[in-house]
Amino acid sequence: MPDTLSAIVSKPRAPRARATLFVGLCADAPHRGPARFGLDDVDTITLGRGGARAAERRASTLAIALDDARLSTQHARMTRLGARWVLEDLGSKNGTWIGGDAVQQHTLDDGDVIEVGHTMLVFRDHGGEAGDLDGAPDADAPGLATLSPALAQQFASVARGARSSVPVMIGGETGTGKELIARAVHALSGRTGPFVAVNCGAVPATLVEAELFGHRKGAFTGAGDERTGLIRSAHGGTLFLDEIGELPGQAQAALLRVLQEGEVTPVGADRAISVDVRLVTATLRDLDEEVAHGRFRGDLLGRLLGLAVRLPPLRERREDLGMLVAQLLDRASPSARIRMTPDVVRTLYAHAWPRNIRELERTLAAACALARDVIDLEHLPESVRASIPSPRVLTSPGALTDDERRLRDQLAAALAEHAGNVAAVARALGKDRTQIRRWMRRFHLLRPDDS
């Protein structure tokens, strides 16, 4: 009977899913752009240290060299076995890690984050693109860059349809960048008028119509002056209605007339005024469900349908995290080439980012303001810092003396209390960081050596 490996290899090969490997953040150079490697014709990948990031393809083998001093020359290997990929550490000095756990051999799942040296990689087992990419992908407009093939297809549709008059509806969680996409549509539209953004949920219900459609002087109590209104202010340009599901029923009816007739009637006026706007909307709500419950007009929803974009939450875009961090760091600290500790990089990949890109942007802006040359865990908000994987003790208690056990337990407790922040542990124990890391290696606390 053949052994297990031979049996797997000798079976007829199923159609290959389009797997992809992404190079993300490196703690020593977070400004460095990402990379993407398509794995269509690859059966083996080797990872090791090189003088510069490079890749060489020979037959079905892909050799990737990373400019990371913490990597071993021959650090890790990935092998295709049937429809799955297996990651294997090659006896590297600093180990190979997944989700904060050291691994000798691991069958990869879609979305696994791999840590080698000070560099993070993201593995996708399907839906990838053929071919390699070094650096951030080209984008038709700011906000339309992504390494995710599925999202790139949506962005390509947006770019193709931007010059038409077809409405665009953007869905997604709060903070995913909906207004940025709306601005990209406007930039690519060729329209010469302004971009006007309105948060429908932030305008008091009693003032929505007056704010959107304008009003005549004296139309209602407090209307001391005539107002053009936001829709007419966007004449010749783009009107972005964010949270359109929050629009009151009467305002929905008035907006429907604007879209049907191309004209707006200010509050208190008896004559309509022609208006030319390109409409982009965004919502958190399921508008079909809102229509079914009578909270949103079905005829208005029909007028809003056109190009549809769904922005995934940041937790589903791990392959884009390195690119987004590099862009946001350039914005927050344009004159400095700031670095990060490995704990920070681990935390950025482990955090769920419930408020998405907006939360990432504010986290990095605050960290750059607090840090000098290196962003450490103490520079991150507590809500983000809590996401760092907790260290686990691997050393057998029987192999230690009583004094060593007490020291190990004290160190493990301090690491847990300070969420793995080596600098904070060193201060708490009155020791140098180098000594703390030396003890961590000695007692095999489950955390990569980040000295």
Side-chain angles (χ1 to χ4, degrees):
M1 179 179 293
D3 66 317
T4 304
L5 179 58
S6 299
I8 292 174
V9 174
S10 62
K11 288 180 180 178
R13 179 171 291 169
R16 292 181 172 183
R18 180 160 278 179
T20 312
L21 185 65
F22 300 89
V23 179
L25 278 176
C26 176
D28 303 321
H31 290 269
R32 185 182 298 155
R36 181 190 68 215
F37 299 99
L39 308 181
D40 271 7
D41 301 317
V42 175
D43 289 320
T44 303
I45 305 167
T46 61
L47 299 169
R49 184 180 72 248
R53 188 166 69 194
E56 181 180 6
R57 293 179 180 269
R58 288 186 179 179
S60 61
T61 298
L62 171 63
I64 300 176
L66 299 173
D67 182 13
D68 183 336
R70 299 294 302 167
L71 264 71
S72 298
T73 304
Q74 295 182 344
H75 195 102
R77 178 169 54 226
M78 294 171 57
T79 306
R80 188 197 298 269
L81 296 179
R84 305 298 299 273
W85 282 86
V86 175
L87 173 69
E88 178 186 5
D89 183 78
L90 299 179
S92 65
K93 177 182 177 182
N94 296 309
T96 300
W97 305 77
I98 291 187
D101 292 344
V103 297
Q104 292 300 314
Q105 191 174 75
H106 177 84
T107 301
L108 292 167
D109 292 316
D110 181 61
D112 271 347
V113 177
I114 305 165
E115 182 177 355
V116 289
H118 286 176
T119 301
M120 309 300 278
L121 311 170
V122 177
F123 171 77
R124 290 293 188 187
D125 70 357
H126 63 277
E129 289 189 5
D132 300 343
L133 175 69
D134 189 1
D138 294 332
D140 293 293
L144 297 185
T146 179
L147 292 163
S148 165
L151 188 56
Q153 289 182 356
Q154 293 194 72
F155 286 168
S157 296
V158 167
R160 286 195 300 270
R163 296 190 71 86
S164 73
S165 58
V166 175
V168 178
M169 181 177 288
I170 309 169
E173 296 179 4
T174 297
T176 50
K178 294 188 287 292
E179 183 171 335
L180 197 59
I181 303 306
R183 290 184 179 276
V185 171
H186 177 67
L188 296 171
S189 70
R191 299 180 68 86
T192 57
F195 175 87
V196 176
V198 183
N199 187 334
C200 298
V203 181
T206 55
L207 297 178
V208 167
E209 289 186 74
E211 289 292 317
L212 286 178
F213 311 116
H215 59 78
R216 296 286 302 275
K217 181 178 179 179
F220 52 87
T221 302
D225 298 309
E226 183 169 326
R227 296 286 298 273
T228 299
L230 295 167
I231 292 178
R232 288 168 60 196
S233 296
H235 181 71
T238 301
L239 177 67
F240 174 50
L241 296 180
D242 196 7
E243 306 299 348
I244 194 170
E246 304 283 345
L247 206 60
Q250 190 170 344
Q252 291 179 30
L255 178 60
L256 178 61
R257 178 173 178 82
V258 173
L259 300 179
Q260 288 176 330
E261 308 296 336
E263 57 187 29
V264 59
T265 303
V267 176
D270 54 9
R271 186 173 59 183
I273 302 171
S274 296
V275 66
D276 171 28
V277 295
R278 167 69 173 283
L279 188 64
V280 180
T281 59
T283 181
L284 289 169
R285 299 186 179 187
D286 183 334
L287 293 186
D288 286 319
E289 184 176 336
E290 295 294 299
V291 170
H293 287 85
R295 294 188 291 263
F296 199 82
R297 295 181 62 110
D299 47 4
L300 176 57
L301 177 57
R303 285 283 177 176
L304 299 179
L305 297 178
L307 292 174
V309 182
R310 180 197 171 270
L311 296 179
L314 183 54
R315 62 184 174 273
E316 296 177 8
R317 294 180 63 183
R318 300 292 184 192
E319 60 268 48
D320 278 341
L321 191 60
M323 176 190 73
L324 293 171
V325 168
Q327 292 172 348
L328 293 172
L329 284 178
D330 286 340
R331 187 183 308 169
S333 184
S335 61
R337 308 306 286 181
I338 203 161
R339 295 182 293 113
M340 296 177 172
T341 66
D343 275 344
V344 166
V345 173
R346 265 175 240 126
T347 301
L348 295 182
Y349 277 89
H351 188 53
W353 300 110
R355 286 163 289 281
N356 295 294
I357 298 175
R358 184 179 298 138
E359 182 184 9
L360 176 65
E361 179 178 18
R362 291 176 180 175
T363 294
L364 294 176
C368 287
L370 294 172
R372 292 185 177 179
D373 301 318
V374 181
I375 297 175
D376 208 339
L377 279 178
E378 62 193 33
H379 303 129
L380 302 183
E382 184 177 352
S383 59
V384 177
R385 193 166 60 239
S387 298
I388 188 170
S390 298
R392 294 192 290 128
V393 179
L394 295 184
T395 301
S396 169
L400 302 176
T401 67
D402 289 342
D403 287 342
E404 288 173 331
R405 256 196 308 275
R406 283 192 290 271
L407 176 58
R408 181 209 61 190
D409 292 345
Q410 182 186 20
L411 180 59
L415 285 166
E417 179 183 353
H418 296 283
N421 186 333
V422 174
V425 171
R427 286 195 295 270
L429 299 182
K431 300 294 182 181
D432 185 81
R433 292 190 198 188
T434 302
Q435 180 62 63
I436 297 298
R437 294 190 179 103
R438 188 179 298 121
W439 283 339
M440 289 169 67
R441 289 194 297 272
R442 177 182 173 187
F443 296 130
H444 297 282
L445 290 173
L446 195 57
R447 176 62 50 81
D449 175 10
D450 54 3
S451 57

